[in-house]
Short mmCIF file of all heavy atoms in Angstrom, two decimals:
data_model
loop_
_atom_site.label_atom_id
_atom_site.label_comp_id
_atom_site.label_asym_id
_atom_site.label_seq_id
_atom_site.Cartn_x
_atom_site.Cartn_y
_atom_site.Cartn_z
N PHE A 1 -20.54 256.60 140.68
CA PHE A 1 -21.16 255.46 140.01
C PHE A 1 -20.50 254.12 140.32
O PHE A 1 -21.15 253.08 140.20
CB PHE A 1 -21.19 255.69 138.49
CG PHE A 1 -22.28 256.62 138.06
CD1 PHE A 1 -21.99 257.91 137.66
CD2 PHE A 1 -23.61 256.23 138.10
CE1 PHE A 1 -22.99 258.78 137.28
CE2 PHE A 1 -24.63 257.09 137.73
CZ PHE A 1 -24.31 258.38 137.32
N ILE A 2 -19.25 254.12 140.74
CA ILE A 2 -18.57 252.86 141.01
C ILE A 2 -18.60 252.48 142.48
O ILE A 2 -18.69 251.31 142.83
CB ILE A 2 -17.12 252.92 140.47
CG1 ILE A 2 -17.18 253.00 138.95
CG2 ILE A 2 -16.30 251.73 140.93
CD1 ILE A 2 -15.88 253.28 138.29
N ILE A 3 -18.55 253.48 143.37
CA ILE A 3 -18.47 253.18 144.81
C ILE A 3 -19.74 253.60 145.55
O ILE A 3 -20.41 252.78 146.18
CB ILE A 3 -17.24 253.86 145.45
CG1 ILE A 3 -15.94 253.46 144.73
CG2 ILE A 3 -17.18 253.58 146.94
CD1 ILE A 3 -15.58 252.01 144.83
N LEU A 4 -20.08 254.87 145.50
CA LEU A 4 -21.14 255.41 146.37
C LEU A 4 -22.53 254.90 146.03
O LEU A 4 -23.26 254.41 146.90
CB LEU A 4 -21.11 256.93 146.34
CG LEU A 4 -19.79 257.58 146.76
CD1 LEU A 4 -19.86 259.09 146.61
CD2 LEU A 4 -19.41 257.17 148.16
N ARG A 5 -22.93 255.01 144.78
CA ARG A 5 -24.28 254.59 144.38
C ARG A 5 -24.51 253.10 144.59
O ARG A 5 -25.56 252.70 145.11
CB ARG A 5 -24.55 255.00 142.94
CG ARG A 5 -25.98 254.75 142.51
CD ARG A 5 -26.25 255.37 141.14
NE ARG A 5 -27.62 255.17 140.75
CZ ARG A 5 -28.04 254.15 140.01
NH1 ARG A 5 -27.16 253.24 139.58
NH2 ARG A 5 -29.30 254.02 139.68
N PRO A 6 -23.56 252.23 144.19
CA PRO A 6 -23.78 250.80 144.46
C PRO A 6 -23.91 250.46 145.94
O PRO A 6 -24.67 249.57 146.31
CB PRO A 6 -22.56 250.12 143.84
CG PRO A 6 -22.10 251.06 142.78
CD PRO A 6 -22.39 252.43 143.33
N ILE A 7 -23.17 251.17 146.80
CA ILE A 7 -23.32 250.92 148.24
C ILE A 7 -24.71 251.36 148.69
O ILE A 7 -25.38 250.65 149.44
CB ILE A 7 -22.23 251.65 149.05
CG1 ILE A 7 -20.87 251.02 148.80
CG2 ILE A 7 -22.56 251.61 150.54
CD1 ILE A 7 -19.72 251.75 149.44
N LYS A 8 -25.15 252.52 148.25
CA LYS A 8 -26.47 253.03 148.64
C LYS A 8 -27.58 252.09 148.18
O LYS A 8 -28.51 251.79 148.93
CB LYS A 8 -26.67 254.43 148.03
CG LYS A 8 -28.04 255.03 148.23
CD LYS A 8 -28.21 255.58 149.61
CE LYS A 8 -29.50 256.38 149.70
NZ LYS A 8 -29.96 256.50 151.05
N LYS A 9 -27.47 251.60 146.95
CA LYS A 9 -28.54 250.80 146.37
C LYS A 9 -28.48 249.32 146.77
O LYS A 9 -29.50 248.71 147.05
CB LYS A 9 -28.49 250.94 144.85
CG LYS A 9 -29.72 250.45 144.16
CD LYS A 9 -29.76 250.90 142.72
CE LYS A 9 -31.07 250.50 142.11
NZ LYS A 9 -31.23 250.97 140.76
N TYR A 10 -27.26 248.75 146.78
CA TYR A 10 -27.14 247.31 146.96
C TYR A 10 -26.31 246.89 148.18
O TYR A 10 -26.25 245.72 148.53
CB TYR A 10 -26.50 246.65 145.73
CG TYR A 10 -27.18 247.00 144.45
CD1 TYR A 10 -26.56 247.85 143.52
CD2 TYR A 10 -28.44 246.50 144.14
CE1 TYR A 10 -27.19 248.17 142.33
CE2 TYR A 10 -29.07 246.82 142.96
CZ TYR A 10 -28.44 247.65 142.06
OH TYR A 10 -29.06 247.98 140.88
N GLY A 11 -25.58 247.85 148.78
CA GLY A 11 -24.68 247.50 149.86
C GLY A 11 -23.41 246.84 149.36
O GLY A 11 -22.69 246.20 150.13
N GLN A 12 -23.12 246.99 148.08
CA GLN A 12 -21.97 246.34 147.49
C GLN A 12 -21.28 247.24 146.47
O GLN A 12 -21.94 247.87 145.65
CB GLN A 12 -22.37 245.06 146.76
CG GLN A 12 -22.92 243.98 147.64
CD GLN A 12 -23.35 242.78 146.83
OE1 GLN A 12 -24.25 242.88 146.01
NE2 GLN A 12 -22.70 241.65 147.06
N THR A 13 -19.96 247.28 146.53
CA THR A 13 -19.16 247.87 145.47
C THR A 13 -18.89 246.75 144.46
O THR A 13 -19.18 245.58 144.75
CB THR A 13 -17.83 248.39 146.03
OG1 THR A 13 -17.14 247.28 146.62
CG2 THR A 13 -18.05 249.49 147.06
N PRO A 14 -18.33 247.05 143.30
CA PRO A 14 -18.03 245.96 142.36
C PRO A 14 -17.13 244.88 142.96
O PRO A 14 -17.38 243.69 142.77
CB PRO A 14 -17.35 246.68 141.19
CG PRO A 14 -17.88 248.06 141.23
CD PRO A 14 -18.08 248.37 142.69
N GLY A 15 -16.11 245.28 143.71
CA GLY A 15 -15.22 244.30 144.33
C GLY A 15 -15.95 243.44 145.35
O GLY A 15 -15.73 242.23 145.43
N LYS A 16 -16.83 244.04 146.12
CA LYS A 16 -17.59 243.28 147.10
C LYS A 16 -18.58 242.34 146.41
O LYS A 16 -18.81 241.23 146.87
CB LYS A 16 -18.30 244.21 148.07
CG LYS A 16 -17.34 244.80 149.10
CD LYS A 16 -18.03 245.66 150.10
CE LYS A 16 -17.10 246.16 151.17
NZ LYS A 16 -15.81 246.67 150.73
N LYS A 17 -19.16 242.78 145.32
CA LYS A 17 -20.09 241.93 144.57
C LYS A 17 -19.36 240.71 144.00
O LYS A 17 -19.86 239.59 144.10
CB LYS A 17 -20.77 242.72 143.46
CG LYS A 17 -21.86 241.95 142.77
CD LYS A 17 -22.63 242.87 141.84
CE LYS A 17 -23.75 242.15 141.14
NZ LYS A 17 -24.92 241.98 141.96
N ILE A 18 -18.19 240.93 143.42
CA ILE A 18 -17.41 239.82 142.86
C ILE A 18 -17.04 238.81 143.95
O ILE A 18 -17.12 237.60 143.73
CB ILE A 18 -16.14 240.37 142.17
CG1 ILE A 18 -16.52 241.14 140.89
CG2 ILE A 18 -15.15 239.25 141.84
CD1 ILE A 18 -15.39 241.98 140.31
N LEU A 19 -16.68 239.31 145.12
CA LEU A 19 -16.24 238.43 146.21
C LEU A 19 -17.35 238.04 147.17
O LEU A 19 -17.10 237.45 148.22
CB LEU A 19 -15.09 239.11 146.97
CG LEU A 19 -13.83 239.31 146.13
CD1 LEU A 19 -12.80 240.12 146.89
CD2 LEU A 19 -13.26 237.98 145.69
N LYS A 20 -18.59 238.38 146.81
CA LYS A 20 -19.78 238.01 147.58
C LYS A 20 -19.73 238.55 149.02
O LYS A 20 -19.94 237.83 149.98
CB LYS A 20 -20.00 236.51 147.56
CG LYS A 20 -20.28 235.96 146.17
CD LYS A 20 -20.84 234.58 146.25
CE LYS A 20 -21.18 234.04 144.89
NZ LYS A 20 -22.30 234.65 144.25
N LEU A 21 -19.44 239.86 149.12
CA LEU A 21 -19.49 240.57 150.38
C LEU A 21 -20.59 241.60 150.32
O LEU A 21 -20.98 242.03 149.24
CB LEU A 21 -18.16 241.28 150.66
CG LEU A 21 -16.93 240.41 150.86
CD1 LEU A 21 -15.68 241.27 150.94
CD2 LEU A 21 -17.07 239.56 152.10
N LYS A 22 -21.08 242.02 151.47
CA LYS A 22 -22.13 243.03 151.51
C LYS A 22 -21.93 243.89 152.75
O LYS A 22 -21.62 243.39 153.82
CB LYS A 22 -23.50 242.36 151.53
CG LYS A 22 -24.65 243.29 151.30
CD LYS A 22 -25.94 242.49 151.16
CE LYS A 22 -26.99 243.30 150.49
NZ LYS A 22 -27.35 242.86 149.18
N ILE A 23 -22.14 245.21 152.57
CA ILE A 23 -22.08 246.16 153.68
C ILE A 23 -23.50 246.34 154.21
O ILE A 23 -24.43 246.55 153.44
CB ILE A 23 -21.53 247.52 153.23
CG1 ILE A 23 -20.17 247.37 152.57
CG2 ILE A 23 -21.45 248.49 154.41
CD1 ILE A 23 -19.70 248.60 151.84
N LEU A 24 -23.64 246.25 155.53
CA LEU A 24 -24.94 246.42 156.17
C LEU A 24 -24.83 247.40 157.32
O LEU A 24 -23.75 247.62 157.85
CB LEU A 24 -25.43 245.08 156.74
CG LEU A 24 -25.55 243.91 155.78
CD1 LEU A 24 -25.81 242.63 156.56
CD2 LEU A 24 -26.65 244.15 154.77
N ASN A 25 -25.96 247.96 157.71
CA ASN A 25 -26.02 248.75 158.94
C ASN A 25 -25.97 247.80 160.12
O ASN A 25 -26.09 246.58 159.98
CB ASN A 25 -27.33 249.56 158.99
CG ASN A 25 -27.20 250.88 158.29
OD1 ASN A 25 -26.14 251.49 158.28
ND2 ASN A 25 -28.28 251.32 157.68
N ASP A 26 -25.85 248.35 161.31
CA ASP A 26 -25.81 247.52 162.52
C ASP A 26 -27.06 246.67 162.70
O ASP A 26 -27.01 245.63 163.33
CB ASP A 26 -25.63 248.41 163.76
CG ASP A 26 -24.16 248.73 164.00
OD1 ASP A 26 -23.30 248.02 163.47
OD2 ASP A 26 -23.90 249.71 164.72
N ASP A 27 -28.18 247.11 162.13
CA ASP A 27 -29.41 246.32 162.25
C ASP A 27 -29.59 245.34 161.09
O ASP A 27 -30.68 244.87 160.83
CB ASP A 27 -30.63 247.24 162.41
CG ASP A 27 -30.75 248.25 161.28
OD1 ASP A 27 -29.86 248.29 160.40
OD2 ASP A 27 -31.73 249.01 161.27
N PHE A 28 -28.50 245.04 160.38
CA PHE A 28 -28.44 244.03 159.33
C PHE A 28 -29.33 244.33 158.12
O PHE A 28 -29.89 243.42 157.51
CB PHE A 28 -28.78 242.63 159.88
CG PHE A 28 -27.76 242.14 160.87
CD1 PHE A 28 -27.97 242.28 162.22
CD2 PHE A 28 -26.58 241.57 160.43
CE1 PHE A 28 -27.04 241.84 163.14
CE2 PHE A 28 -25.63 241.13 161.34
CZ PHE A 28 -25.85 241.26 162.70
N VAL A 29 -29.46 245.59 157.76
CA VAL A 29 -30.18 245.97 156.55
C VAL A 29 -29.32 246.94 155.74
O VAL A 29 -28.41 247.57 156.26
CB VAL A 29 -31.55 246.64 156.85
CG1 VAL A 29 -32.50 245.66 157.49
CG2 VAL A 29 -31.38 247.88 157.69
N VAL A 30 -29.63 247.01 154.44
CA VAL A 30 -28.99 247.98 153.57
C VAL A 30 -29.90 249.20 153.53
O VAL A 30 -30.89 249.23 152.81
CB VAL A 30 -28.79 247.41 152.14
CG1 VAL A 30 -28.18 248.47 151.23
CG2 VAL A 30 -27.93 246.17 152.17
N ASN A 31 -29.59 250.16 154.35
CA ASN A 31 -30.38 251.39 154.41
C ASN A 31 -29.47 252.50 154.90
O ASN A 31 -29.47 252.85 156.07
CB ASN A 31 -31.57 251.20 155.36
CG ASN A 31 -32.46 252.42 155.37
OD1 ASN A 31 -32.41 253.24 154.45
ND2 ASN A 31 -33.26 252.56 156.39
N PHE A 32 -28.66 253.02 153.99
CA PHE A 32 -27.66 254.00 154.35
C PHE A 32 -28.10 255.40 153.95
O PHE A 32 -28.75 255.58 152.92
CB PHE A 32 -26.33 253.71 153.62
CG PHE A 32 -25.79 252.34 153.86
CD1 PHE A 32 -25.86 251.37 152.88
CD2 PHE A 32 -25.21 252.02 155.07
CE1 PHE A 32 -25.36 250.11 153.10
CE2 PHE A 32 -24.70 250.76 155.30
CZ PHE A 32 -24.77 249.80 154.31
N SER A 33 -27.70 256.38 154.73
CA SER A 33 -27.86 257.77 154.30
C SER A 33 -26.65 258.11 153.44
O SER A 33 -25.60 257.46 153.52
CB SER A 33 -27.92 258.71 155.51
OG SER A 33 -26.65 258.79 156.13
N TRP A 34 -26.81 259.12 152.60
CA TRP A 34 -25.69 259.54 151.76
C TRP A 34 -24.51 259.98 152.60
O TRP A 34 -23.35 259.69 152.28
CB TRP A 34 -26.11 260.64 150.79
CG TRP A 34 -26.86 260.10 149.62
CD1 TRP A 34 -28.19 260.25 149.35
CD2 TRP A 34 -26.33 259.27 148.57
NE1 TRP A 34 -28.52 259.58 148.20
CE2 TRP A 34 -27.40 258.97 147.70
CE3 TRP A 34 -25.07 258.76 148.28
CZ2 TRP A 34 -27.23 258.19 146.56
CZ3 TRP A 34 -24.91 257.98 147.15
CH2 TRP A 34 -25.98 257.71 146.30
N TRP A 35 -24.78 260.69 153.69
CA TRP A 35 -23.69 261.16 154.55
C TRP A 35 -22.96 259.99 155.19
O TRP A 35 -21.74 260.04 155.35
CB TRP A 35 -24.22 262.13 155.61
CG TRP A 35 -24.67 263.41 154.99
CD1 TRP A 35 -25.95 263.89 154.95
CD2 TRP A 35 -23.86 264.37 154.30
NE1 TRP A 35 -25.99 265.08 154.26
CE2 TRP A 35 -24.71 265.39 153.85
CE3 TRP A 35 -22.51 264.44 154.00
CZ2 TRP A 35 -24.25 266.48 153.13
CZ3 TRP A 35 -22.05 265.53 153.29
CH2 TRP A 35 -22.91 266.53 152.86
N GLN A 36 -23.68 258.96 155.56
CA GLN A 36 -23.06 257.79 156.16
C GLN A 36 -22.11 257.12 155.17
O GLN A 36 -20.99 256.74 155.51
CB GLN A 36 -24.15 256.81 156.61
CG GLN A 36 -23.65 255.60 157.35
CD GLN A 36 -24.79 254.66 157.74
OE1 GLN A 36 -25.89 254.73 157.21
NE2 GLN A 36 -24.51 253.78 158.69
N ILE A 37 -22.55 256.99 153.92
CA ILE A 37 -21.72 256.36 152.90
C ILE A 37 -20.48 257.20 152.60
O ILE A 37 -19.36 256.70 152.56
CB ILE A 37 -22.52 256.15 151.60
CG1 ILE A 37 -23.66 255.18 151.83
CG2 ILE A 37 -21.62 255.65 150.48
CD1 ILE A 37 -24.67 255.14 150.71
N ILE A 38 -20.70 258.50 152.39
CA ILE A 38 -19.57 259.38 152.06
C ILE A 38 -18.59 259.42 153.21
O ILE A 38 -17.37 259.31 153.01
CB ILE A 38 -20.09 260.79 151.70
CG1 ILE A 38 -20.83 260.74 150.38
CG2 ILE A 38 -18.94 261.80 151.66
CD1 ILE A 38 -21.64 261.99 150.06
N PHE A 39 -19.08 259.54 154.44
CA PHE A 39 -18.19 259.58 155.60
C PHE A 39 -17.43 258.27 155.74
O PHE A 39 -16.22 258.26 156.00
CB PHE A 39 -18.97 259.90 156.88
CG PHE A 39 -18.07 260.16 158.04
CD1 PHE A 39 -17.44 261.38 158.18
CD2 PHE A 39 -17.85 259.18 158.99
CE1 PHE A 39 -16.59 261.62 159.25
CE2 PHE A 39 -17.00 259.40 160.06
CZ PHE A 39 -16.36 260.63 160.19
N ARG A 40 -18.11 257.13 155.54
CA ARG A 40 -17.45 255.83 155.67
C ARG A 40 -16.36 255.65 154.64
O ARG A 40 -15.25 255.25 154.96
CB ARG A 40 -18.48 254.70 155.52
CG ARG A 40 -17.89 253.31 155.68
CD ARG A 40 -18.94 252.23 155.44
NE ARG A 40 -18.49 250.93 155.89
CZ ARG A 40 -17.78 250.09 155.13
NH1 ARG A 40 -17.45 250.43 153.90
NH2 ARG A 40 -17.41 248.92 155.62
#
């Protein structure tokens, strides 16, 4: 609930949201598979 789901849904963990950062795929979209998030 703190790390994996927020990345999947928003591309941001709480720390990234506070600091205005976002995780994206190489094609500049938030569209991660669960395995990609867990592995990362």
Side-chain angles (χ1 to χ4, degrees):
F1 282 106
I2 293 170
I3 304 295
L4 302 177
R5 186 171 182 267
I7 291 174
K8 174 78 170 158
K9 194 167 185 176
Y10 307 109
Q12 295 177 298
T13 60
K16 284 183 176 45
K17 187 171 181 79
I18 291 167
L19 295 174
K20 297 195 178 290
L21 295 172
K22 191 172 199 112
I23 304 168
L24 303 170
N25 274 327
D26 276 340
D27 55 357
F28 294 98
V29 294
V30 177
N31 184 19
F32 304 106
S33 70
W34 281 109
W35 291 114
Q36 184 181 18
I37 296 168
I38 291 168
F39 189 78
R40 181 183 194 273

